[in-house]
Amino acid sequence: MESYKGLSPSQFFYRNREIAGFSNPVRSLYQAVRELLENSLDATETHGILPNITLEIRPHTNNNQSDKVTIRIEDNGIGIPIAEVPNVFARVFYGSKYVLRQARGVFGLGVKMAVLYAQITTATPIYVKSSTIDSETEYEYKLFIDIERNLPIILQLNVFKKKKKWHGTIVELTIQGNWSQARRRIKEYIRRTALIAPYATIRLITPENSVEYKRVSRKLPEPPQIGKYHPRGVDIELLKMLIRAADKKLTLVDFLSKYFDGVGKKTALNFCKWAEFNPNHKIKRLTLSDLEKLANKMHQYDKWRRPKPLTLSPLGDTLLREGVRRILEPEFVTAISRPPSSYSGNPFIIETALAWGGKVPVSDSPLLLRFANRIPLLYDESVDVSRKIIDSIDWSIYKVKFPAPLAIITHICSTKIPFKGVGKEAIAEVPEVEKELNIAIRETARRLRRHISRIEKIYEIKRKEVTITKYMDEVARALSYIVNDDDSEEIIKKKLMKLLKKEIGKKGIVTGEMKNVAKAKTPRG
Ligand code: ADP
Ligand code: MG
């Protein structure tokens, strides 16, 4: 006889933890660090707080084997209300980010995977200490997950009166990990996070050393707002859900203009006319087949306004430039933040930067650093749309000859990132996204070409300057001899210098720039 039963979400992820990145001690350590750091960043920057984050990684012994590793993170975020702590850390699919707003986390899953993994591999509970901004108390929890029922088990709860004014969260976990093999990737991940968050101070304490990325800007990007759905992105279930929550007396035209992004009464009326719906139809009378037709028509209608990008929080070109400068230390950097665009009803913004020279490593093709909603993407670069675009560009048009010190940075912000596959490490070739990336990358490349031309010109003048000054004395002396006037030597020299300066001026180059370049090495590319 077969026996039948259901599977709780915790059980599902307990059995299939590799789906969420917890496959082996190397990858799991990396993934756990990511989940914790991303939550800390979401709890700060999304709420207008300049992040101060300290991450400590403590392997229990010093051999190169898989071992118990303790991860501790402390942030100055908004904290978690005392009653919510058990659920947010020990119940799969529980969180505060199930809204239409750009965030690093979206599933309400990440940290629970780390807790689950700790529980399975080292039998230790998660430790959480937190306090919210207006709370008078701070509290400590030790939690396990009841895997079969997908519910928290509270092992310990302590509540204290807050002694000093603080808010934020401290989390500590001990998992089976392999620090020596995960080290490089974790450090690279944090370095790239520091690039995309120049307003954050992130400290990383490891057995070898402690590294601090101090913030280079106190400007936070405008936090994202919670948005409405775009009419082009709906499906039947979403319509049902919205109607269930709405006032039942609402007419179709009011429903559309109240619940959807960029839809006013006029647009709603025009749509109803086009789709052959009675605008005064009460929404509770809509049948399932009406809803199917409505969803289809909403997809097809091509006169909706573009989705509003208020739910997004791009970095902006200034911050992006500062971030790139902080981490790559190039000789030249330029960045672009494109205007909002959309695909299938989802707003998105593309930002790119280009870094050249200085400490940018020299390589045979452009170095690529990819980000999605400010998360660094380290895997699957070869199938990412950005790689495809960069490889299709003939860089010699932009005066670049490889090997060269060139790095391209791409960032996509969206409430729905078009990932390729479940790995969530590569962006798919959505035509709208590809087009925006192409425009942005090529524009930064044109700016690089202008920069390189300028440097070339300066070198050319520099060479002339050297030649002229070398022969100046001799020429001046000879000329003054010819005109038979000893005093004219100085005058002739001055005139020659003036001619040289005029030449420099004609090329639109200021003298300060000449000096800078004189210090730089030979032009590359
Ligand atoms: P997600 O980040 O996808 O929402 P997680 O399981 O990683 O899912 O986190 C669940 C929830 O826990 C978050 O939505 C957030 O509300 C809360 N949370 C986790 N870590 C922190 C933190 N450091 N500060 C404040 N809230 C946090
Ligand atoms: Mg998360």
Side-chain angles (χ1 to χ4, degrees):
M1 260 307 259
E2 291 285 20
S3 79
Y4 296 88
K5 63 174 188 161
L7 194 66
S8 87
S10 299
Q11 277 173 317
F12 175 80
F13 285 103
Y14 165 65
R15 294 181 186 193
N16 302 292
R17 48 190 177 270
E18 55 293 329
I19 296 179
F22 288 80
S23 43
N24 59 56
V26 181
R27 186 79 205 253
S28 302
L29 181 55
Y30 165 75
Q31 196 65 34
V33 166
R34 265 191 66 169
E35 298 297 353
L36 293 175
L37 181 58
E38 285 165 16
N39 280 348
S40 287
L41 285 165
D42 277 344
T44 45
E45 59 181 30
T46 316
H47 304 274
I49 300 170
L50 287 168
N52 272 330
I53 297 170
T54 303
L55 177 66
E56 193 183 342
I57 298 175
R58 244 180 4 243
H60 289 211
T61 54
N62 269 335
N63 60 21
N64 281 351
Q65 308 294 309
S66 299
D67 185 16
K68 283 188 188 175
V69 182
T70 297
I71 312 168
R72 184 181 192 277
I73 192 162
E74 172 164 2
D75 67 53
N76 61 335
I78 53 167
I80 304 154
I82 186 166
E84 297 288 358
V85 174
N87 279 330
V88 298
F89 286 105
R91 183 169 162 196
V92 170
F93 297 143
Y94 194 93
S96 59
K97 301 172 201 164
Y98 300 125
V99 285
L100 219 53
R101 170 174 71 185
Q102 178 189 324
R104 289 173 159 91
V106 282
F107 287 142
L109 171 68
V111 78
K112 274 74 91 176
M113 288 309 299
V115 177
L116 207 58
Y117 193 71
Q119 187 168 331
I120 300 165
T121 57
T122 68
T124 49
I126 182 177
Y127 165 87
V128 183
K129 179 172 178 171
S130 191
S131 187
T132 55
I133 294 175
D134 337 294
S135 164
E136 309 259 301
T137 57
E138 57 191 40
Y139 23 91
E140 286 178 335
Y141 276 96
K142 279 193 179 162
L143 303 164
F144 268 139
I145 302 179
D146 177 340
I147 297 177
E148 252 169 65
R149 295 190 302 150
N150 189 32
L151 285 173
I153 302 172
I154 302 173
L155 301 175
Q156 199 180 322
L157 167 61
N158 301 319
V159 184
F160 309 98
K161 193 147 180 62
K162 239 194 308 204
K163 281 193 217 84
K164 59 177 194 296
K165 217 171 147 58
W166 79 283
H167 55 85
T169 304
I170 299 171
V171 177
E172 204 174 296
L173 272 172
T174 300
I175 64 169
Q176 186 86 37
N178 186 328
W179 171 242
S180 66
Q181 282 188 46
R183 175 170 40 210
R184 243 194 59 221
R185 192 160 289 145
I186 289 176
K187 289 192 165 171
E188 182 61 17
Y189 177 79
I190 289 171
R191 207 170 77 94
R192 292 194 192 187
T193 300
L195 185 156
I196 205 74
Y199 45 78
T201 292
I202 304 174
R203 242 166 268 110
L204 173 65
I205 304 168
T206 62
E208 302 83 45
N209 59 6
S210 117
V211 184
E212 181 177 54
Y213 294 99
K214 262 210 161 74
R215 70 174 57 83
V216 289
S217 170
R218 298 190 65 81
K219 207 183 129 233
L220 273 175
E222 202 60 37
Q225 297 175 17
I226 296 176
K228 297 180 193 172
Y229 291 93
H230 191 270
R232 201 168 297 127
V234 298
D235 56 42
I236 302 170
E237 265 321 299
L238 179 67
L239 285 175
K240 276 205 245 169
M241 193 184 81
L242 292 173
I243 289 174
R244 228 179 286 136
D247 179 355
K248 300 289 172 290
K249 287 195 220 79
L250 228 52
T251 59
L252 183 57
V253 65
D254 288 337
F255 172 70
L256 290 171
S257 48
K258 185 164 174 202
Y259 283 92
F260 292 94
D261 178 31
V263 183
K265 196 136 194 175
K266 211 170 124 210
T267 315
L269 280 171
N270 287 341
F271 166 76
C272 288
K273 198 166 158 208
W274 172 86
E276 297 173 344
F277 271 105
N278 173 5
N280 297 317
H281 201 102
K282 297 273 185 292
I283 48 168
K284 72 164 182 198
R285 296 245 174 83
L286 290 168
T287 63
L288 205 53
S289 74
D290 289 338
L291 289 182
E292 187 192 346
K293 182 179 156 202
L294 183 60
N296 276 334
K297 293 284 182 186
M298 284 171 84
H299 278 245
Q300 290 159 13
Y301 192 56
D302 61 2
K303 297 205 171 54
W304 300 120
R305 250 173 273 157
R306 273 182 166 203
K308 277 203 225 75
L310 299 173
T311 48
L312 304 184
S313 174
L315 213 53
D317 57 344
T318 314
L319 271 176
L320 184 55
R321 252 193 332 266
E322 284 176 63
V324 172
R325 237 186 243 123
R326 171 197 205 179
I327 299 300
L328 295 176
E329 301 180 52
E331 168 198 310
F332 171 79
V333 57
T334 182
I336 285 179
S337 185
R338 292 279 304 156
S341 183
S342 66
Y343 75 94
S344 333
N346 307 298
F348 72 91
I349 289 178
I350 292 292
E351 303 185 293
T352 71
L354 179 153
W356 169 261
K359 293 198 178 158
V360 178
V362 174
S363 57
D364 289 329
S365 70
L367 187 69
L368 174 60
L369 309 183
R370 299 167 295 135
F371 297 88
N373 285 352
R374 297 194 210 148
I375 298 177
L377 305 177
L378 296 189
Y379 293 90
D380 301 342
E381 178 181 312
S382 58
V383 294
D384 191 285
V385 61
S386 294
R387 187 78 248 175
K388 181 184 145 196
I389 293 172
I390 287 171
D391 288 346
S392 72
I393 290 177
D394 174 4
W395 287 93
S396 65
I397 302 174
Y398 303 105
K399 290 183 173 274
V400 176
K401 281 195 219 87
F402 288 102
L406 176 62
I408 305 288
I409 295 88
T410 61
H411 181 210
I412 173 169
C413 306
S414 181
T415 40
K416 188 160 188 284
I417 301 278
F419 282 116
K420 210 171 196 169
V422 285
K424 293 193 166 266
E425 289 281 350
I427 308 296
E429 286 147 35
V430 176
E432 293 89 342
V433 172
E434 195 167 343
K435 182 173 151 229
E436 282 294 310
L437 274 167
N438 228 314
I439 295 174
I441 294 173
R442 283 176 194 272
E443 174 55 29
T444 56
R446 274 192 292 278
R447 292 180 189 170
L448 173 66
R449 182 176 57 200
R450 283 201 289 279
H451 171 77
I452 294 178
S453 305
R454 217 170 159 77
I455 299 281
E456 283 172 354
K457 268 186 220 156
I458 294 176
Y459 271 97
E460 188 193 316
I461 295 172
K462 205 74 204 161
R463 264 196 304 275
K464 268 193 199 159
E465 196 185 6
V466 169
T467 318
I468 293 176
T469 39
K470 195 163 148 197
Y471 294 108
M472 179 117 68
D473 286 350
E474 215 171 306
V475 171
R477 205 174 312 124
L479 286 175
S480 71
Y481 177 77
I482 290 168
V483 297
N484 203 2
D485 176 0
D486 283 351
D487 298 339
S488 64
E489 190 176 327
E490 275 309 305
I491 300 169
I492 291 168
K493 250 200 233 176
K494 269 191 196 139
K495 282 217 167 126
L496 283 173
M497 273 320 277
K498 219 170 166 183
L499 276 175
L500 189 67
K501 292 251 167 66
K502 207 162 142 195
E503 170 94 356
I504 295 172
K506 248 196 272 170
K507 308 247 163 163
I509 290 159
V510 281
T511 344
E513 235 178 322
M514 290 280 292
K515 289 210 185 98
N516 285 341
V517 173
K519 278 186 260 154
K521 289 138 263 141
T522 44
R524 278 164 298 212

mmCIF file of all heavy atoms in Angstrom, residues 240-275:
data_model
loop_
_atom_site.group_PDB
_atom_site.id
_atom_site.type_symbol
_atom_site.label_atom_id
_atom_site.label_comp_id
_atom_site.label_asym_id
_atom_site.label_seq_id
_atom_site.Cartn_x
_atom_site.Cartn_y
_atom_site.Cartn_z
ATOM 1 N N LYS A 240 -7.572 38.091 -9.491
ATOM 2 C CA LYS A 240 -8.440 37.508 -8.457
ATOM 3 C C LYS A 240 -8.041 38.008 -7.084
ATOM 4 O O LYS A 240 -8.870 38.374 -6.260
ATOM 5 C CB LYS A 240 -8.326 35.977 -8.485
ATOM 6 C CG LYS A 240 -9.224 35.318 -9.497
ATOM 7 C CD LYS A 240 -9.505 33.891 -9.053
ATOM 8 C CE LYS A 240 -8.921 32.898 -10.029
ATOM 9 N NZ LYS A 240 -8.911 31.529 -9.586
ATOM 10 N N MET A 241 -6.717 38.012 -6.854
ATOM 11 C CA MET A 241 -6.215 38.408 -5.548
ATOM 12 C C MET A 241 -6.548 39.880 -5.256
ATOM 13 O O MET A 241 -6.999 40.214 -4.172
ATOM 14 C CB MET A 241 -4.699 38.196 -5.541
ATOM 15 C CG MET A 241 -4.055 38.260 -4.194
ATOM 16 S SD MET A 241 -2.270 38.109 -4.407
ATOM 17 C CE MET A 241 -1.829 39.778 -4.856
ATOM 18 N N LEU A 242 -6.343 40.727 -6.265
ATOM 19 C CA LEU A 242 -6.622 42.146 -6.071
ATOM 20 C C LEU A 242 -8.113 42.389 -5.856
ATOM 21 O O LEU A 242 -8.515 43.191 -5.021
ATOM 22 C CB LEU A 242 -6.115 42.969 -7.261
ATOM 23 C CG LEU A 242 -4.595 43.027 -7.429
ATOM 24 C CD1 LEU A 242 -4.227 43.718 -8.744
ATOM 25 C CD2 LEU A 242 -3.944 43.753 -6.263
ATOM 26 N N ILE A 243 -8.937 41.662 -6.611
ATOM 27 C CA ILE A 243 -10.384 41.845 -6.498
ATOM 28 C C ILE A 243 -10.879 41.375 -5.125
ATOM 29 O O ILE A 243 -11.697 42.009 -4.486
ATOM 30 C CB ILE A 243 -11.119 41.104 -7.646
ATOM 31 C CG1 ILE A 243 -10.864 41.846 -8.961
ATOM 32 C CG2 ILE A 243 -12.620 40.989 -7.362
ATOM 33 C CD1 ILE A 243 -11.402 41.168 -10.192
ATOM 34 N N ARG A 244 -10.290 40.267 -4.647
ATOM 35 C CA ARG A 244 -10.662 39.752 -3.327
ATOM 36 C C ARG A 244 -10.411 40.813 -2.249
ATOM 37 O O ARG A 244 -11.197 40.970 -1.329
ATOM 38 C CB ARG A 244 -9.846 38.489 -3.026
ATOM 39 C CG ARG A 244 -10.702 37.341 -2.517
ATOM 40 C CD ARG A 244 -9.841 36.105 -2.263
ATOM 41 N NE ARG A 244 -9.420 35.443 -3.490
ATOM 42 C CZ ARG A 244 -8.196 34.983 -3.721
ATOM 43 N NH1 ARG A 244 -7.244 35.139 -2.811
ATOM 44 N NH2 ARG A 244 -7.900 34.388 -4.853
ATOM 45 N N ALA A 245 -9.319 41.535 -2.409
ATOM 46 C CA ALA A 245 -8.949 42.514 -1.382
ATOM 47 C C ALA A 245 -9.658 43.845 -1.573
ATOM 48 O O ALA A 245 -9.688 44.670 -0.665
ATOM 49 C CB ALA A 245 -7.445 42.720 -1.395
ATOM 50 N N ALA A 246 -10.274 44.052 -2.758
ATOM 51 C CA ALA A 246 -10.832 45.370 -3.074
ATOM 52 C C ALA A 246 -12.272 45.503 -2.576
ATOM 53 O O ALA A 246 -12.921 44.520 -2.231
ATOM 54 C CB ALA A 246 -10.788 45.603 -4.578
ATOM 55 N N ASP A 247 -12.732 46.740 -2.568
ATOM 56 C CA ASP A 247 -14.121 47.026 -2.240
ATOM 57 C C ASP A 247 -15.001 46.401 -3.325
ATOM 58 O O ASP A 247 -14.822 46.662 -4.513
ATOM 59 C CB ASP A 247 -14.290 48.554 -2.210
ATOM 60 C CG ASP A 247 -15.717 48.962 -1.901
ATOM 61 O OD1 ASP A 247 -16.577 48.063 -1.804
ATOM 62 O OD2 ASP A 247 -15.952 50.171 -1.764
ATOM 63 N N LYS A 248 -15.962 45.598 -2.905
ATOM 64 C CA LYS A 248 -16.745 44.821 -3.877
ATOM 65 C C LYS A 248 -17.651 45.692 -4.745
ATOM 66 O O LYS A 248 -18.119 45.268 -5.777
ATOM 67 C CB LYS A 248 -17.588 43.762 -3.168
ATOM 68 C CG LYS A 248 -16.762 42.765 -2.378
ATOM 69 C CD LYS A 248 -16.015 41.840 -3.330
ATOM 70 C CE LYS A 248 -15.028 40.935 -2.638
ATOM 71 N NZ LYS A 248 -13.841 41.592 -2.096
ATOM 72 N N LYS A 249 -17.904 46.929 -4.306
ATOM 73 C CA LYS A 249 -18.803 47.783 -5.099
ATOM 74 C C LYS A 249 -18.070 48.515 -6.218
ATOM 75 O O LYS A 249 -18.664 49.223 -7.001
ATOM 76 C CB LYS A 249 -19.481 48.800 -4.178
ATOM 77 C CG LYS A 249 -20.543 48.164 -3.287
ATOM 78 C CD LYS A 249 -21.423 49.250 -2.694
ATOM 79 C CE LYS A 249 -21.781 48.997 -1.239
ATOM 80 N NZ LYS A 249 -20.839 49.281 -0.225
ATOM 81 N N LEU A 250 -16.762 48.332 -6.260
ATOM 82 C CA LEU A 250 -15.951 49.051 -7.233
ATOM 83 C C LEU A 250 -16.345 48.678 -8.668
ATOM 84 O O LEU A 250 -16.594 47.517 -8.964
ATOM 85 C CB LEU A 250 -14.480 48.690 -7.017
ATOM 86 C CG LEU A 250 -13.449 49.810 -6.952
ATOM 87 C CD1 LEU A 250 -13.861 50.867 -5.948
ATOM 88 C CD2 LEU A 250 -12.098 49.243 -6.572
ATOM 89 N N THR A 251 -16.375 49.687 -9.545
ATOM 90 C CA THR A 251 -16.619 49.394 -10.963
ATOM 91 C C THR A 251 -15.282 49.076 -11.618
ATOM 92 O O THR A 251 -14.226 49.398 -11.059
ATOM 93 C CB THR A 251 -17.236 50.608 -11.679
ATOM 94 O OG1 THR A 251 -16.319 51.691 -11.529
ATOM 95 C CG2 THR A 251 -18.582 50.976 -11.092
ATOM 96 N N LEU A 252 -15.351 48.487 -12.780
ATOM 97 C CA LEU A 252 -14.125 48.089 -13.471
ATOM 98 C C LEU A 252 -13.203 49.288 -13.696
ATOM 99 O O LEU A 252 -11.997 49.215 -13.453
ATOM 100 C CB LEU A 252 -14.479 47.416 -14.802
ATOM 101 C CG LEU A 252 -13.303 46.882 -15.612
ATOM 102 C CD1 LEU A 252 -12.487 45.888 -14.798
ATOM 103 C CD2 LEU A 252 -13.784 46.232 -16.903
ATOM 104 N N VAL A 253 -13.802 50.414 -14.148
ATOM 105 C CA VAL A 253 -12.963 51.575 -14.446
ATOM 106 C C VAL A 253 -12.276 52.100 -13.176
ATOM 107 O O VAL A 253 -11.095 52.459 -13.193
ATOM 108 C CB VAL A 253 -13.774 52.676 -15.185
ATOM 109 C CG1 VAL A 253 -14.872 53.234 -14.289
ATOM 110 C CG2 VAL A 253 -12.858 53.791 -15.652
ATOM 111 N N ASP A 254 -12.979 52.080 -12.052
ATOM 112 C CA ASP A 254 -12.360 52.538 -10.806
ATOM 113 C C ASP A 254 -11.306 51.554 -10.309
ATOM 114 O O ASP A 254 -10.265 51.950 -9.777
ATOM 115 C CB ASP A 254 -13.427 52.744 -9.726
ATOM 116 C CG ASP A 254 -14.275 53.974 -10.021
ATOM 117 O OD1 ASP A 254 -13.770 54.855 -10.746
ATOM 118 O OD2 ASP A 254 -15.427 54.031 -9.557
ATOM 119 N N PHE A 255 -11.604 50.281 -10.475
ATOM 120 C CA PHE A 255 -10.650 49.246 -10.079
ATOM 121 C C PHE A 255 -9.331 49.417 -10.835
ATOM 122 O O PHE A 255 -8.246 49.425 -10.242
ATOM 123 C CB PHE A 255 -11.266 47.875 -10.378
ATOM 124 C CG PHE A 255 -10.322 46.721 -10.206
ATOM 125 C CD1 PHE A 255 -9.891 46.334 -8.942
ATOM 126 C CD2 PHE A 255 -9.860 46.012 -11.320
ATOM 127 C CE1 PHE A 255 -9.024 45.256 -8.782
ATOM 128 C CE2 PHE A 255 -8.998 44.948 -11.166
ATOM 129 C CZ PHE A 255 -8.578 44.568 -9.904
ATOM 130 N N LEU A 256 -9.449 49.614 -12.140
ATOM 131 C CA LEU A 256 -8.238 49.752 -12.955
ATOM 132 C C LEU A 256 -7.439 50.984 -12.552
ATOM 133 O O LEU A 256 -6.213 50.945 -12.426
ATOM 134 C CB LEU A 256 -8.591 49.829 -14.444
ATOM 135 C CG LEU A 256 -9.104 48.542 -15.073
ATOM 136 C CD1 LEU A 256 -9.634 48.797 -16.479
ATOM 137 C CD2 LEU A 256 -8.007 47.479 -15.104
ATOM 138 N N SER A 257 -8.160 52.102 -12.323
ATOM 139 C CA SER A 257 -7.400 53.320 -12.048
ATOM 140 C C SER A 257 -6.890 53.358 -10.604
ATOM 141 O O SER A 257 -5.955 54.077 -10.299
ATOM 142 C CB SER A 257 -8.199 54.574 -12.404
ATOM 143 O OG SER A 257 -9.494 54.498 -11.880
ATOM 144 N N LYS A 258 -7.476 52.551 -9.740
ATOM 145 C CA LYS A 258 -7.011 52.568 -8.346
ATOM 146 C C LYS A 258 -5.844 51.600 -8.114
ATOM 147 O O LYS A 258 -4.940 51.881 -7.316
ATOM 148 C CB LYS A 258 -8.184 52.187 -7.435
ATOM 149 C CG LYS A 258 -7.843 52.291 -5.962
ATOM 150 C CD LYS A 258 -9.078 52.289 -5.092
ATOM 151 C CE LYS A 258 -8.637 52.233 -3.629
ATOM 152 N NZ LYS A 258 -9.657 51.735 -2.748
ATOM 153 N N TYR A 259 -5.874 50.472 -8.785
ATOM 154 C CA TYR A 259 -4.917 49.417 -8.427
ATOM 155 C C TYR A 259 -3.729 49.252 -9.360
ATOM 156 O O TYR A 259 -2.853 48.447 -9.095
ATOM 157 C CB TYR A 259 -5.641 48.072 -8.302
ATOM 158 C CG TYR A 259 -6.396 47.976 -7.004
ATOM 159 C CD1 TYR A 259 -7.735 48.361 -6.909
ATOM 160 C CD2 TYR A 259 -5.751 47.531 -5.849
ATOM 161 C CE1 TYR A 259 -8.414 48.302 -5.713
ATOM 162 C CE2 TYR A 259 -6.414 47.461 -4.643
ATOM 163 C CZ TYR A 259 -7.750 47.852 -4.581
ATOM 164 O OH TYR A 259 -8.407 47.797 -3.390
ATOM 165 N N PHE A 260 -3.707 49.995 -10.466
ATOM 166 C CA PHE A 260 -2.606 49.751 -11.400
ATOM 167 C C PHE A 260 -1.757 50.982 -11.657
ATOM 168 O O PHE A 260 -2.237 52.108 -11.624
ATOM 169 C CB PHE A 260 -3.138 49.164 -12.712
ATOM 170 C CG PHE A 260 -3.678 47.786 -12.516
ATOM 171 C CD1 PHE A 260 -5.022 47.584 -12.273
ATOM 172 C CD2 PHE A 260 -2.821 46.692 -12.498
ATOM 173 C CE1 PHE A 260 -5.524 46.312 -12.038
ATOM 174 C CE2 PHE A 260 -3.308 45.422 -12.269
ATOM 175 C CZ PHE A 260 -4.669 45.229 -12.037
ATOM 176 N N ASP A 261 -0.508 50.691 -11.928
ATOM 177 C CA ASP A 261 0.503 51.723 -12.113
ATOM 178 C C ASP A 261 0.247 52.525 -13.386
ATOM 179 O O ASP A 261 0.064 51.945 -14.462
ATOM 180 C CB ASP A 261 1.871 51.015 -12.186
ATOM 181 C CG ASP A 261 2.992 51.995 -12.437
ATOM 182 O OD1 ASP A 261 2.880 53.150 -12.001
ATOM 183 O OD2 ASP A 261 3.978 51.588 -13.076
ATOM 184 N N GLY A 262 0.213 53.834 -13.264
ATOM 185 C CA GLY A 262 0.120 54.704 -14.434
ATOM 186 C C GLY A 262 -1.245 54.710 -15.101
ATOM 187 O O GLY A 262 -1.374 55.153 -16.227
ATOM 188 N N VAL A 263 -2.287 54.188 -14.436
ATOM 189 C CA VAL A 263 -3.609 54.156 -15.050
ATOM 190 C C VAL A 263 -4.511 55.182 -14.370
ATOM 191 O O VAL A 263 -4.809 55.074 -13.183
ATOM 192 C CB VAL A 263 -4.253 52.759 -14.926
ATOM 193 C CG1 VAL A 263 -5.603 52.729 -15.635
ATOM 194 C CG2 VAL A 263 -3.328 51.703 -15.504
ATOM 195 N N GLY A 264 -4.900 56.202 -15.126
ATOM 196 C CA GLY A 264 -5.859 57.175 -14.618
ATOM 197 C C GLY A 264 -7.236 56.823 -15.159
ATOM 198 O O GLY A 264 -7.392 55.845 -15.894
ATOM 199 N N LYS A 265 -8.216 57.627 -14.768
ATOM 200 C CA LYS A 265 -9.580 57.340 -15.202
ATOM 201 C C LYS A 265 -9.701 57.325 -16.733
ATOM 202 O O LYS A 265 -10.337 56.447 -17.304
ATOM 203 C CB LYS A 265 -10.510 58.406 -14.606
ATOM 204 C CG LYS A 265 -11.946 58.024 -14.664
ATOM 205 C CD LYS A 265 -12.646 58.336 -13.358
ATOM 206 C CE LYS A 265 -13.994 57.630 -13.338
ATOM 207 N NZ LYS A 265 -14.685 57.774 -12.073
ATOM 208 N N LYS A 266 -9.024 58.286 -17.362
ATOM 209 C CA LYS A 266 -9.144 58.406 -18.814
ATOM 210 C C LYS A 266 -8.553 57.177 -19.511
ATOM 211 O O LYS A 266 -9.179 56.584 -20.383
ATOM 212 C CB LYS A 266 -8.412 59.674 -19.270
ATOM 213 C CG LYS A 266 -9.057 60.291 -20.498
ATOM 214 C CD LYS A 266 -8.485 61.656 -20.799
ATOM 215 C CE LYS A 266 -7.946 61.654 -22.212
ATOM 216 N NZ LYS A 266 -6.828 62.568 -22.394
ATOM 217 N N THR A 267 -7.371 56.801 -19.092
ATOM 218 C CA THR A 267 -6.734 55.619 -19.676
ATOM 219 C C THR A 267 -7.613 54.390 -19.460
ATOM 220 O O THR A 267 -7.799 53.567 -20.365
ATOM 221 C CB THR A 267 -5.363 55.368 -19.011
ATOM 222 O OG1 THR A 267 -4.681 56.604 -18.909
ATOM 223 C CG2 THR A 267 -4.531 54.390 -19.814
ATOM 224 N N ALA A 268 -8.176 54.288 -18.248
ATOM 225 C CA ALA A 268 -9.017 53.135 -17.931
ATOM 226 C C ALA A 268 -10.244 53.091 -18.842
ATOM 227 O O ALA A 268 -10.614 52.025 -19.358
ATOM 228 C CB ALA A 268 -9.428 53.174 -16.465
ATOM 229 N N LEU A 269 -10.853 54.267 -19.063
ATOM 230 C CA LEU A 269 -12.023 54.321 -19.946
ATOM 231 C C LEU A 269 -11.654 53.943 -21.375
ATOM 232 O O LEU A 269 -12.359 53.166 -22.023
ATOM 233 C CB LEU A 269 -12.624 55.727 -19.929
ATOM 234 C CG LEU A 269 -13.527 56.042 -18.725
ATOM 235 C CD1 LEU A 269 -13.892 57.515 -18.685
ATOM 236 C CD2 LEU A 269 -14.789 55.173 -18.775
ATOM 237 N N ASN A 270 -10.530 54.490 -21.849
ATOM 238 C CA ASN A 270 -10.079 54.161 -23.211
ATOM 239 C C ASN A 270 -9.832 52.666 -23.367
ATOM 240 O O ASN A 270 -10.202 52.060 -24.365
ATOM 241 C CB ASN A 270 -8.788 54.903 -23.544
ATOM 242 C CG ASN A 270 -9.048 56.370 -23.777
ATOM 243 O OD1 ASN A 270 -10.190 56.772 -24.031
ATOM 244 N ND2 ASN A 270 -7.997 57.173 -23.672
ATOM 245 N N PHE A 271 -9.236 52.086 -22.335
ATOM 246 C CA PHE A 271 -8.960 50.660 -22.389
ATOM 247 C C PHE A 271 -10.263 49.865 -22.455
ATOM 248 O O PHE A 271 -10.408 48.958 -23.284
ATOM 249 C CB PHE A 271 -8.141 50.219 -21.168
ATOM 250 C CG PHE A 271 -8.101 48.733 -20.992
ATOM 251 C CD1 PHE A 271 -7.290 47.943 -21.806
ATOM 252 C CD2 PHE A 271 -8.899 48.105 -20.042
ATOM 253 C CE1 PHE A 271 -7.270 46.569 -21.664
ATOM 254 C CE2 PHE A 271 -8.894 46.728 -19.897
ATOM 255 C CZ PHE A 271 -8.072 45.955 -20.713
ATOM 256 N N CYS A 272 -11.230 50.222 -21.577
ATOM 257 C CA CYS A 272 -12.500 49.489 -21.552
ATOM 258 C C CYS A 272 -13.182 49.526 -22.923
ATOM 259 O O CYS A 272 -13.713 48.530 -23.398
ATOM 260 C CB CYS A 272 -13.446 50.077 -20.504
ATOM 261 S SG CYS A 272 -12.920 49.701 -18.829
ATOM 262 N N LYS A 273 -13.116 50.700 -23.541
ATOM 263 C CA LYS A 273 -13.728 50.854 -24.849
ATOM 264 C C LYS A 273 -13.036 49.934 -25.860
ATOM 265 O O LYS A 273 -13.683 49.173 -26.577
ATOM 266 C CB LYS A 273 -13.593 52.312 -25.287
ATOM 267 C CG LYS A 273 -14.534 52.682 -26.400
ATOM 268 C CD LYS A 273 -14.608 54.193 -26.561
ATOM 269 C CE LYS A 273 -15.094 54.520 -27.960
ATOM 270 N NZ LYS A 273 -14.603 55.802 -28.417
ATOM 271 N N TRP A 274 -11.730 49.989 -25.857
ATOM 272 C CA TRP A 274 -10.942 49.186 -26.796
ATOM 273 C C TRP A 274 -11.154 47.688 -26.560
ATOM 274 O O TRP A 274 -11.305 46.899 -27.483
ATOM 275 C CB TRP A 274 -9.464 49.541 -26.635
ATOM 276 C CG TRP A 274 -8.541 48.648 -27.418
ATOM 277 C CD1 TRP A 274 -8.177 48.795 -28.718
ATOM 278 C CD2 TRP A 274 -7.860 47.476 -26.941
ATOM 279 N NE1 TRP A 274 -7.323 47.797 -29.097
ATOM 280 C CE2 TRP A 274 -7.109 46.975 -28.021
ATOM 281 C CE3 TRP A 274 -7.825 46.818 -25.717
ATOM 282 C CZ2 TRP A 274 -6.321 45.827 -27.910
ATOM 283 C CZ3 TRP A 274 -7.052 45.682 -25.605
ATOM 284 C CH2 TRP A 274 -6.309 45.200 -26.692
ATOM 285 N N ALA A 275 -11.224 47.301 -25.276
ATOM 286 C CA ALA A 275 -11.308 45.875 -24.956
ATOM 287 C C ALA A 275 -12.754 45.375 -24.935
ATOM 288 O O ALA A 275 -13.010 44.212 -24.641
ATOM 289 C CB ALA A 275 -10.655 45.628 -23.597
#
